Amino acid sequence: MEGADGAAVPPSLADRSRRSSISSTCARSVDVLVYLIDDTMVQLSVDSLMSVTVHELHRIVRDALQLPECAMDVFALWLISPLLEVQLKPKHQPYKVCRQWQELLLRFTDCQEDEIMQDEPSLQFRRNVFFPKRRELQIENEAVLRLLYEEAKFNILEGRYPCDMEDCEQLGALVCRLQLGPYDQDQHTACALKEKLEAFLPAHLCRRGHSLLTALWKRGAKQPAYEQGLLQAYQAVREEAACEEPEALRQHYWVYLQRCHQLPYYGCAFFYGEIDKPAQGFLHRGGRKAVSVAISLEGVYVIDSKEKHVLLGLRFQELSWDHTYPDEEEEHILWLEFDGENEGILVNKLLKIYSKQAELMSGLIEYCLELNAAAEASALENSTLQSPTLPPLASKQRPKLRRQNSVVCSRIQHLATIDYIEDGKEIKRVKPKRTASFFTRQFSHGATSYSAVQAPAESLEQG
């Protein structure tokens, strides 16, 4: 169970051997390390390790951290490594899943055999991907808010949550306040912030412009001074005059999370894949682009792994999807279908995402839709019981960003899609001709029906 995540020291081979040889009849306690997102370790003494379930272990962690009962819903146990991230179900037995880790890597990653043999997962206590955002801001417990804040900050700094520079400065200023205290003009200068800029702003922003090639290409050009914008935002952080420090910290955690909720991919599970690049040049060379696919209760977001911006963002009501296996295509593929235009004609667009994790993505999308349907049915029933004469409340829509070229807006022009009109007749190909139409293959194999998506009332740009 002991992982090599972050600053944690990986166990020796002897330690691994000792753990794997524990007898199922052994009654003595075993030490288990569970990591928090900031690499803090929670050491637990667990009886019957081989048979303990995630639900039981989760409660032990919650008690050790002295968290309220709501933490059972807010957080989940994950198995994390640089190669794969898996949220465990309450009925799972972590010990057995760890023993099957290499099989999971072979099934869901393209890693080399030596990488798979050396990889070892760590147990991590992090946000439950199925916990609704609307319930998160109802939390008042400081310890729970701090854990959520630490995870959101990690995802911002690592670039998993792409942010516009204005948002990065606002969020970074709150981190300054929480780590350095209230702004002090004598201590908190631009030079002082510059020395540890990566603790406040995303790493890819801090490194941008510092490579030798960039320096030679832009010789003489003035590099952006991110610390100046961060300092101004730090100065503007509001403080409640009559507020004690513990309450002030809780409020700043809450404000940070509230800002993060404006990002459509907050709270998502992340998967890795590739998409086709649009054909360019005389030879129409394309190639592939690495992407991360973020999936939450609200929708699916395809993010450019290098440029740190959204290529496509779709709510579930705006898409259809399917997963094909290598016997149908050359690789595992997650297909996303959505409405768009092609030279002024309304079309259905198909995006291919190549990934051995396509099966996991498809399963998560299906489960999220089931949860949403159950939640809507429950809400409708409750509203009918409380006020039978009133119509059901319309779902609250997130306001769209007005900022031009925001990183959260879809960039459909950067996608190589296969475009169809509603009757399945193809009007444009961006890839060499395949042996069979996607729609023809669906019907011939007797797979689940794949209906055209209705035109959404709003544009595909997510806010």
Side-chain angles (χ1 to χ4, degrees):
M1 295 292 179
E2 298 172 20
D5 196 20
V9 179
S12 65
L13 291 176
D15 290 336
R16 296 181 191 177
S17 176
R18 176 177 57 79
R19 282 203 307 276
S20 62
S21 63
I22 295 175
S23 170
S24 61
T25 60
C26 183
R28 65 185 178 87
S29 298
V30 178
D31 287 338
V32 176
L33 295 182
V34 178
Y35 290 84
L36 305 182
I37 197 70
D38 61 357
D39 284 338
T40 302
M41 294 181 295
V42 181
Q43 185 168 341
L44 307 173
S45 183
V46 179
D47 295 329
S48 304
L49 175 63
M50 293 181 66
S51 60
V52 69
T53 65
V54 167
H55 179 77
E56 295 165 341
L57 192 58
H58 190 292
R59 185 168 293 278
I60 297 173
V61 175
R62 195 208 75 181
D63 292 341
L65 295 175
Q66 298 181 338
L67 299 176
E69 186 68 27
C70 70
M72 294 295 292
D73 296 327
V74 179
F75 301 104
L77 282 175
W78 293 64
L79 277 178
I80 304 292
S81 86
L83 307 183
L84 185 64
E85 300 182 358
V86 178
Q87 178 173 318
L88 301 176
K89 297 179 181 179
K91 65 181 181 181
H92 279 150
Q93 296 174 326
Y95 181 85
K96 292 183 178 179
V97 180
C98 282
R99 296 294 298 271
Q100 299 169 349
W101 190 250
Q102 292 182 1
E103 298 174 24
L104 294 176
L105 294 180
L106 286 170
R107 182 177 176 183
F108 296 120
T109 74
D110 293 310
C111 299
Q112 300 296 322
E113 184 176 353
D114 57 339
E115 293 179 292
I116 291 176
M117 295 300 293
Q118 294 175 11
D119 190 61
E120 184 180 0
S122 62
L123 265 176
Q124 195 170 89
F125 191 71
R126 61 160 69 173
R127 190 185 188 280
N128 179 3
V129 70
F130 304 118
F131 187 69
K133 287 194 295 187
R134 67 179 182 275
R135 290 180 56 192
E136 190 170 290
L137 292 181
Q138 298 172 3
I139 297 171
E140 297 183 356
N141 182 270
E142 181 189 343
V144 174
L145 290 174
R146 183 184 65 81
L147 290 174
L148 291 170
Y149 154 77
E150 290 288 352
E151 184 168 343
K153 181 184 71 171
F154 172 84
N155 287 320
I156 292 290
L157 296 181
E158 291 295 313
R160 298 184 100 183
Y161 292 169
C163 275
D164 296 322
M165 193 61 222
E166 178 182 332
D167 295 321
C168 288
E169 290 174 350
Q170 297 293 329
L171 293 170
L174 289 168
V175 177
C176 290
R177 167 61 183 88
L178 288 162
Q179 293 187 5
L180 306 178
Y183 172 73
D184 185 328
Q185 63 179 0
D186 296 327
Q187 297 182 36
H188 305 138
T189 63
C191 291
L193 296 181
K194 186 176 182 179
E195 292 178 358
K196 40 189 175 181
L197 204 57
E198 291 193 13
F200 309 124
L201 296 177
H204 66 278
L205 287 180
C206 300
R207 291 194 296 264
R208 189 170 291 171
H210 292 288
S211 68
L212 177 61
L213 183 61
T214 303
L216 293 174
W217 183 259
K218 297 183 177 180
R219 182 177 294 175
K222 185 177 180 180
Q223 299 299 325
Y226 296 122
E227 63 273 10
Q228 292 293 343
L230 179 63
L231 179 63
Q232 293 175 8
Y234 187 11
Q235 293 171 340
V237 173
R238 294 182 57 184
E239 299 286 352
E240 298 293 338
C243 190
E244 297 290 337
E245 185 63 8
E247 176 62 19
L249 294 178
R250 191 188 68 83
Q251 290 185 5
H252 291 309
Y253 292 145
W254 193 88
V255 172
Y256 191 97
L257 292 171
Q258 188 181 41
R259 287 187 176 276
C260 287
H261 282 199
Q262 297 175 18
L263 303 172
Y265 26 77
Y266 174 81
C268 284
F270 287 85
F271 304 87
Y272 301 99
E274 294 180 326
I275 62 172
D276 293 311
K277 294 180 179 179
Q280 295 179 343
F282 178 73
L283 298 177
H284 297 282
R285 291 178 176 173
R288 291 185 183 177
K289 179 192 295 287
V291 296
S292 60
V293 182
I295 301 175
S296 71
L297 288 171
E298 298 181 5
V300 180
Y301 304 89
V302 182
I303 300 172
D304 190 312
S305 299
K306 180 181 178 181
E307 299 298 330
K308 308 297 183 185
H309 58 219
V310 173
L311 295 170
L312 180 66
L314 297 169
R315 295 190 180 99
F316 286 129
Q317 61 264 33
E318 297 172 325
L319 66 86
S320 295
W321 90 100
D322 198 9
H323 162 227
T324 51
Y325 293 84
D327 59 342
E328 301 174 49
E329 289 282 339
E330 296 179 359
E331 304 174 57
H332 283 276
I333 295 175
L334 179 73
W335 298 83
L336 296 180
E337 185 202 35
F338 56 98
D339 292 333
E341 288 189 4
N342 187 320
E343 298 179 358
I345 302 174
L346 292 177
V347 298
N348 296 107
K349 288 180 173 287
L350 284 172
L351 177 67
K352 297 170 66 175
I353 302 176
Y354 305 91
S355 174
K356 288 187 75 173
Q357 298 178 5
E359 181 181 354
L360 293 175
M361 293 186 244
S362 179
L364 180 55
I365 292 173
E366 184 171 4
Y367 188 59
C368 286
L369 288 172
E370 291 176 1
L371 290 178
N372 289 339
E376 290 173 6
S378 177
L380 179 60
E381 181 180 353
N382 291 337
S383 64
T384 303
L385 291 174
Q386 294 174 8
S387 182
T389 60
L390 294 177
L393 295 175
S395 59
K396 184 178 180 181
Q397 298 293 325
R398 182 172 52 249
K400 296 188 177 299
L401 290 180
R402 303 300 181 185
R403 197 177 298 147
Q404 294 294 320
N405 300 319
S406 169
V407 297
V408 306
C409 293
S410 295
R411 290 163 172 76
I412 299 177
Q413 70 275 15
H414 294 175
L415 300 176
T417 57
I418 302 171
D419 295 353
Y420 292 85
I421 56 178
E422 286 194 1
D423 63 1
K425 180 180 178 182
E426 188 179 9
I427 63 172
K428 182 179 181 181
R429 287 193 180 276
V430 293
K431 291 284 290 177
K433 187 174 182 179
R434 298 179 295 150
T435 56
S437 162
F438 176 72
F439 290 93
T440 303
R441 184 176 63 254
Q442 290 294 308
F443 297 140
S444 63
H445 282 265
T448 55
S449 62
Y450 200 92
S451 59
V453 182
Q454 297 298 319
E458 301 178 358
S459 70
L460 292 176
E461 294 189 352
Q462 303 300 308

